[in-house]
Amino acid sequence: MTTNDKTWFEKQVNRELFRQTLKETALSQVGYIVTTAFTGEEALDHVQGRTFDAIITDLHMPRMQGDELLRRCKCLDSSIVVLVLTAAGDIDCAVRCLQEGAVDYVSKPFDLHDVVARLDKALDQRHMFFNQQQLTS
């Protein structure tokens, strides 16, 4: 295994551990049903096949970046809540993701409970918006 192969492998293991941590701890424990995807393409396939209330995506993923996933998911369902996570504390990227429809942008390292709180808040706002629309129609 070369140094580049080792680095790639470590990143993939870290991503898998991250997904499992979100799925098995913070999100599942508070009642969310979690679907995981290894790549942006796989996530998009999930979104095209089912209805999701929210997506938590890393900005940097294999084969499709998180900002591209954000744009494509918003085209499929403009009401979907998208939370973008990244190790890159790039303010320009954060602004771009927010302009493209992300509800929040969280830099790593982060606290899982903070991510859950941000997700809860965004989903509560989405729910209130839909309730308000039903009352006015």
Side-chain angles (χ1 to χ4, degrees), residues 3-122:
T3 302
N4 286 341
D5 290 339
K6 184 177 181 201
T7 302
W8 180 88
F9 178 75
E10 288 172 352
K11 286 181 182 179
Q12 302 320 311
V13 168
N14 288 338
R15 284 188 178 116
E16 183 58 31
L17 288 172
F18 170 73
R19 278 194 297 278
Q20 286 305 110
T21 299
L22 279 177
K23 184 175 183 176
E24 293 173 359
T25 57
L27 295 174
S28 293
Q29 287 178 1
V30 295
Y32 286 106
I33 298 168
V34 179
T35 302
T36 61
F38 184 69
T39 66
E41 291 170 341
E42 184 182 350
L44 189 59
D45 287 344
H46 287 305
V47 172
Q48 289 172 330
R50 299 191 347 229
T51 301
F52 286 86
D53 295 319
I55 295 173
I56 299 175
T57 182
D58 197 333
L59 185 61
H60 299 290
M61 297 182 297
R63 294 194 291 267
M64 182 188 302
Q65 296 296 306
D67 55 344
E68 177 67 16
L69 177 63
L70 164 66
R71 283 189 293 277
R72 293 178 71 178
C73 287
K74 285 293 191 175
C75 286
L76 293 170
D77 179 358
S78 62
S79 71
I80 198 165
V81 169
V82 180
L83 180 65
V84 178
L85 309 174
T86 187
D90 180 359
I91 194 69
D92 292 333
C93 187
V95 169
R96 189 175 65 248
C97 287
L98 293 171
Q99 289 172 336
E100 292 173 354
V103 296
D104 211 341
Y105 181 93
V106 183
S107 293
K108 297 176 194 170
F110 52 83
D111 178 73
L112 284 173
H113 298 291
D114 180 48
V115 171
V116 171
R118 291 172 190 233
L119 182 61
D120 286 343
K121 180 180 176 184

